[in-house]
């Protein structure tokens, strides 16, 4: 299976900060990566797919980039509602879809 | 409006079989390019993909759990059912169903399906007791 490693696993930031989360794949996956946001007690929500395509309705302060083995999720101007846990996911179901371990973004 | 909702038992005993139903509206699983998957999340831990069924009845399973999982779809009822045999306390988790957007890319050995989950159910907590 393709392993996804997110860094950092925990991040403390202030409202208005620019935040970057990295996801590294154990082998090249082209641009087949998605990002999700999950708030406590809630289901994940899709932010970005195919590495950089913003899901409909997601604020433009979220952006994704990367290809191959290294990907980033950037939040430009952190808002109070953005404090959550973020997961990356590689999109190929053969042999298995996989998620990263998560990055928790907390208020500094 | 697309909605999904999971249903099933909250408590199962070890060795028993878990059956979860995902009932959805706002889309059809017979529409080309659509799939429905199951993902679980143990308390305080990361997401883990379990299974996926596509519009063409192609089915994919997590290799580590494949021997215990069965996924089926009932297009007429707008439902997808997941069964997991031989439950164990380590299977305690919130189980989510989600609609998958799918893009097909021609690979070396044939068409490959790439999936992201664009709509999720609220999740259902399943506790497996010993």
């Amino acid at each position: 299976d393709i392993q996804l490693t997110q860094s950092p696993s925990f991040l403390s930031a202030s409202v208005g900060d620019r935040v970057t989360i990295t996801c590294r794949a154990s082998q090249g996956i082209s641009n087949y990566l998605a990002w999700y946001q999950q708030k406590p007690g809630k289901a994940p929500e899709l932010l970005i797919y195919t590495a950089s395509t913003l899901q409909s309705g997601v604020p433009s302060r979220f952006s994704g980039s990367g290809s191959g083995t290294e990907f980033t999720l950037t939040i430009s101007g952190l808002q109070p509602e953005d404090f959550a846990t973020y997961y990356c996911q590689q999109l190929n179901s053969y042999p298995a879809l996989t998620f990263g371990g998560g990055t928790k973004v907390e208020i500094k | 409006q697309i909605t999904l909702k999971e249903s099933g038992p909250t408590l199962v005993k070890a060795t028993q079989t878990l059956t979860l139903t995902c009932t959805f509206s706002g889309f059809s699983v017979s529409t080309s390019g659509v799939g429905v998957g199951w993902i679980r999340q143990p308390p305080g831990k990361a997401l883990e993909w379990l299974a996926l069924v596509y519009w063409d009845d192609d089915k994919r399973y997590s290799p580590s759990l494949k021997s215990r999982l069965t996924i089926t779809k009932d297009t007429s009822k707008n439902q997808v059912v997941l069964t997991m045999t031989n439950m164990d306390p380590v299977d305690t988790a919130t189980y989510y169903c989600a609609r998958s957007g799918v893009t097909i890319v021609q690979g070396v050995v044939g068409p490959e399906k790439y999936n992201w989950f664009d709509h999720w159910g609220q999740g259902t907590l399943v506790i497996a007791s010993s």
Side-chain angles (χ1 to χ4, degrees):
Chain A
D1 298 0
I2 297 171
Q3 308 301 318
L4 297 178
T5 303
Q6 287 183 234
S7 61
S9 54
F10 177 85
L11 187 158
S12 181
S14 300
V15 172
D17 284 354
R18 178 184 175 92
V19 167
T20 299
I21 298 168
T22 298
C23 178
R24 289 187 173 88
S26 59
Q27 63 190 76
I29 57 172
S30 185
N31 68 334
Y32 297 121
L33 190 97
W35 290 96
Y36 300 85
Q37 177 193 68
Q38 186 179 33
K39 296 180 180 178
K42 301 293 186 182
E45 294 185 0
L46 177 67
L47 298 174
I48 287 167
Y49 59 99
T50 54
S52 60
T53 304
L54 199 66
Q55 170 70 351
S56 176
V58 174
S60 58
R61 63 180 180 273
F62 292 92
S63 63
S65 64
S67 67
T69 61
E70 188 153 336
F71 302 84
T72 58
L73 172 70
T74 300
I75 310 172
S76 301
L78 199 65
Q79 296 299 302
E81 61 268 30
D82 300 336
F83 292 95
T85 300
Y86 294 84
Y87 293 95
C88 58
Q89 177 224 327
Q90 68 84 15
L91 307 188
N92 193 346
S93 61
Y94 185 80
L97 295 175
T98 48
F99 289 89
T103 296
K104 187 174 184 179
V105 178
E106 288 201 342
I107 302 173
K108 184 182 285 184
Chain B
Q1 182 189 7
I2 291 173
T3 64
L4 303 98
K5 188 171 184 179
E6 306 86 352
S7 59
T10 299
L11 192 62
V12 294
K13 293 185 178 179
T15 75
Q16 286 186 338
T17 295
L18 171 68
T19 299
L20 294 172
T21 301
C22 176
T23 303
F24 53 87
S25 64
F27 70 96
S28 172
V29 73
S30 62
T31 300
S32 180
V34 171
V36 174
W38 287 92
I39 303 99
R40 71 179 179 180
Q41 185 173 38
K45 296 189 177 180
L47 301 165
E48 179 185 19
W49 171 69
L50 301 176
L52 237 173
V53 61
Y54 295 99
W55 72 95
D56 57 4
D57 212 33
D58 183 16
K59 298 168 185 177
R60 307 286 172 91
Y61 296 98
S62 167
S64 62
L65 293 167
K66 184 174 183 177
S67 64
R68 299 174 54 204
L69 296 174
T70 302
I71 189 169
T72 60
K73 63 181 174 68
D74 187 329
T75 304
S76 64
K77 292 183 179 179
N78 280 349
Q79 290 182 333
V80 169
V81 175
L82 180 76
T83 62
M84 179 181 290
T85 61
N86 196 24
M87 290 290 287
D88 183 271
V90 300
D91 297 313
T92 293
T94 296
Y95 287 74
Y96 296 100
C97 67
R99 189 186 85 150
S100 171
V102 181
T103 191
I104 299 174
V105 177
Q106 190 62 36
V108 175
V109 294
E112 296 178 358
K113 292 168 175 165
Y114 292 85
N115 320 264
W116 56 90
F117 297 104
D118 55 13
H119 293 82
W120 295 62
Q122 64 189 24
T124 185
L125 176 63
V126 177
I127 300 170
S129 66
S130 55

